[in-house]
Amino acid sequence: MDQEELNKLYDDSILQENRQPYHYGKMPDADLTLEAYNPICGDQFKLFLYTDEDSIKTAYFHGYGCAVSKASTSVLTRELEGCTIEEAKAKCRDFLNWLSEGEGAKVNAPNSWESFAAVRDFPGRLSCAQLAWETIAKEL
Amino acid sequence: MLHRYPPQHGSQCTNLISIGKRLNFTQQLKNDNSEIQSIVDARSQFPNLNRQDHRDNRIIYLDNAATTHKPQLVIDSLVNHFSNQNANIHRGIHTLAIEATSHYEESRRKVQQFINAREESEVIFTSGTTAGVNLVAQTFAQQQIRPGDEILISILEHHSNLLPWQQLAAQKGAKLKVIPITACGELDMPSLERMLTSRVKILALTHISNSLGTINPIRDIIKMARSQGTYVLIDAAQSVGSYPIDVQDLDCDFLVFSGHKMYGPTGIGVLYGKAELLQAMPPWQFGGEMIRSVQIEKTVFAAPPHKFEAGTPPIAQAIALGAAIDFIGQVGLEHIQAQNQALLAYGTELLAEIPGLQLVGKARHKSAIISFMLEDIHPHDLATILNQAGVAVRAGHHCTQPLMESLGLPGTVRASMAFYNTYEDIDQLKQGLLLAKKIFT
Ligand SMILES: Cc1ncc(COP(=O)(O)O)c(C=O)c1O
């Protein structure tokens, strides 16, 4: 059994984000609510955004999914705050590019993304890391 | 309202069965005219059981409820058809066509005998269970169902025995009613008795739940339905090939199954229907092979089974399904069944030793399917870790979303065994789960 790959996927940072996700809660009074849903695996998160003019002041999320999708949604939620809508969408496109293309993508990947590089070795799990970022990139 | 599973333990849930005597893989099978003299021999017929993954782990296949591996006999049958026969059936008068037709029809006879249908013409080849249910829903039921009628299913149904009825009910203004289950995952019999009135035109019920493994007492239920004048379709996708099925003894009107879950190929399945019903039903699809005579103004359709087999069928697959039945005969259904039950008992006992593991589905009568949750680890994370340990399981809703919702679960991990699995396979499953616990705590 090769545990090394597993330990990379389930590293401290992903497990920590999964266990104690950032701004995890339902916010019915948010200005914008988006749903990230993967019908194939059933993962489902709601993203709650409080906006000011066209920038995102605060973000929350709530829902159900695997450790990878939850951790990735948690990181996204933290990183959305302070972005304009356009910046948020661009950031999500960058993340998705970086995730699928690796170091070849001309993207400045912050440290917070590094753990998710491991999903490249788990093709079935790529969509878990992508889910919420794709929702923002396409639907915001 | 969702409730957490299980709400309460009914006293009638299964207690852990103690293992009893260990499986005897070398036991003589008393087959005189077969190469297969033991379960070890039978195992050796499945080349895919030796597959390794990219880390050189032998792949332990515990996803048999999704599809089983194929024995050499079935693989050879497919290869032989394309290498040595390959002709279209029923319309050729050359040697190859005559041979292919005869093998195709011989396979139908094998199915007939295997499920003890009265006549060959009661066996219709379809592309699988899903096609069989749709065929019945869109022909027989299309004619039978009137506004206000009831169609009864259970909460255990696979989507393929739910959606065709849901759509039909909506189209016809009929009511779709759903039999609930008890806390241990058995059909709630008092509810069933209450719901099964003469208003119910059709009862469409699974024999074995693909998610929980529950074996439903279909023989008794069919009797109850008969007394109300209700027609019955049985989804036997999880049972044919693992348990004896005798359609005359069951007295069901229709029974559907898939070849690929009984060691046969994909793309082929069977609809059994009572002769008198099939005769009265309109065809489902129209085209070649299903006619007696065609004029531009009108067509006279062929008699069953051909009436329901429009177009060129999956010939090689149908013939290979016959080979799968031969293979099952060589091993012996009674041995397959005994092996499955022993694996279920062993697996149930072994997994229950893992702290924090919750079995989902504890019916008294179960097939070799073990659904479970481990602490609050998501099923997909568990499946990834198990895959890394070389163990193939399924995670998710298993095409039974309403069932999962009624259990208050987003999904489960499902380990499903076939007779060729071993205790060591299940030991490895346990090791993988212990690793998952370690990673997540
Ligand atoms: C109980 C049950 N019904 C129906 C089906 C659908 O079978 P198929 O996809 O072969 O049509 C399955 C297979 O997953 C099943 O387990």
Side-chain angles (χ1 to χ4, degrees), chain B residues 65-66 128-131 158 160 206 208 210 235 237-238 258 260-261:
Chain B
T129 305
T130 304
H158 188 282
S160 65
T206 194
I208 297 179
N210 66 306
D235 173 352
Q238 291 295 337
S258 300
H260 69 94
K261 294 182 198 277

